[in-house]
Amino acid sequence: MSVCQTPFTLDCYIEWQVGYDTKISDTDKQTTLRDKTFIGANGKNKCLYELSEWVYYLHDFEIVSEQQLLDVKEFLLQQVKTDLMDEHVDLRITRSHPITKQFYGIDFYQTDVKYPLLIHRFENYEVIAEIKITEKQVAVGVQPMLYFCFPITELSADTPLLGRTAKTKEEGKLIINKNNHKIFIDMLNIFGVLSKNHNHDVVSIIDTILK
């Protein structure tokens, strides 16, 4: 859909593969907290970015309390003792038994692949988190991917977006404040149960924020 030609409707939403860190050396990722660092599960030097950056400032502005972050840390340290999403038996990628099919005169084996999709709706908001279980791109195994999804009505603009097209280079802003801050704390919990690496990183991020 071209947002410059098609008016925004209530069906329009943002799907954002939100991150929580970036490598210190990655200057393409804009963060205001490049000095807030930790060692990631992959052994690389990381700094706060996107989700962790927002939570840092929510804590700095005393919207998120120290106890809230400690509660997340305690929860995640308990969960890491179990099978997390990348290893959970109910979240496996499944494939049907191959059957012979012919298309365009060419013989093929056809199998259907089913990828688990989890959806979490944040309380009292038209905002969801989608977790898609997919194969790793550069290694054997699976990787859960988290997407932050919210309707276009959650964006703030100079004039309401519904019923009109986007202006050239127009930007919409997602306002993060005391009214919706719990969404981002809950996302830390969700990120931390995707895999043991995610768990390690989120716990390290909380320690970094609380330093």
Side-chain angles (χ1 to χ4, degrees):
M1 181 182 73
S2 173
V3 294
C4 293
Q5 298 177 0
T6 306
F8 292 112
T9 69
L10 289 173
D11 293 329
C12 297
Y13 70 99
I14 309 296
E15 184 182 74
W16 183 358
Q17 189 179 347
V18 65
Y20 58 65
D21 67 14
T22 186
K23 293 184 293 184
I24 297 174
S25 58
D26 191 352
T27 55
D28 289 338
K29 301 285 183 65
Q30 298 302 311
T31 173
T32 62
L33 298 174
R34 204 167 291 278
D35 60 327
K36 303 300 180 182
T37 63
F38 66 96
I39 304 299
N42 59 5
K44 295 181 180 179
N45 291 318
K46 301 288 193 73
C47 61
L48 305 190
Y49 174 66
E50 288 193 342
L51 178 60
S52 60
E53 193 175 4
W54 308 335
V55 173
Y56 175 91
Y57 284 114
L58 287 169
H59 176 258
D60 193 46
F61 298 153
E62 299 183 350
I63 295 172
V64 168
S65 69
E66 178 177 339
Q67 189 57 52
Q68 283 178 287
L69 293 175
L70 290 175
D71 287 346
V72 173
K73 179 179 178 179
E74 181 180 359
F75 167 76
L76 294 181
L77 290 177
Q78 290 298 315
Q79 306 314 309
V80 78
K81 301 173 185 177
T82 66
D83 287 339
L84 299 182
M85 286 189 183
D86 65 331
E87 297 178 337
H88 199 288
V89 64
D90 292 333
L91 297 174
R92 291 176 177 171
I93 298 170
T94 58
R95 292 171 173 80
S96 64
H97 185 74
I99 59 175
T100 302
K101 285 285 188 75
Q102 189 178 82
F103 296 96
Y104 317 107
I106 305 172
D107 291 329
F108 293 94
Y109 288 104
Q110 177 182 330
T111 183
D112 295 321
V113 184
K114 184 169 70 173
Y115 296 93
L117 172 65
L118 298 176
I119 299 174
H120 172 76
R121 184 175 297 279
F122 297 101
E123 186 177 359
N124 299 325
Y125 293 95
E126 291 299 316
V127 178
I128 64 173
E130 286 188 356
I131 298 93
K132 300 176 182 179
I133 311 295
T134 63
E135 291 100 344
K136 290 183 178 179
Q137 294 180 342
V138 294
V140 176
V142 303
Q143 57 181 0
M145 312 287 286
L146 187 147
Y147 295 84
F148 180 40
C149 306
F150 53 91
I152 201 74
T153 50
E154 292 291 324
L155 289 179
S156 174
D158 293 337
T159 57
L161 295 171
L162 287 179
R164 68 174 179 86
T165 58
K167 302 172 186 176
T168 302
K169 297 184 179 180
E170 182 177 15
E171 295 182 355
K173 296 180 180 179
L174 177 66
I175 306 300
I176 301 172
N177 54 34
K178 63 181 179 181
N179 296 320
N180 60 8
H181 77 277
K182 194 172 184 300
I183 289 174
F184 306 99
I185 297 299
D186 289 346
M187 272 207 287
L188 285 180
N189 278 324
I190 295 172
F191 258 123
V193 296
L194 297 186
S195 71
K196 285 183 169 59
N197 283 356
H198 285 90
N199 188 287
H200 172 279
D201 288 345
V202 176
V203 169
S204 298
I205 283 167
I206 291 172
D207 288 340
T208 301
I209 291 173
L210 293 177
K211 280 183 182 177

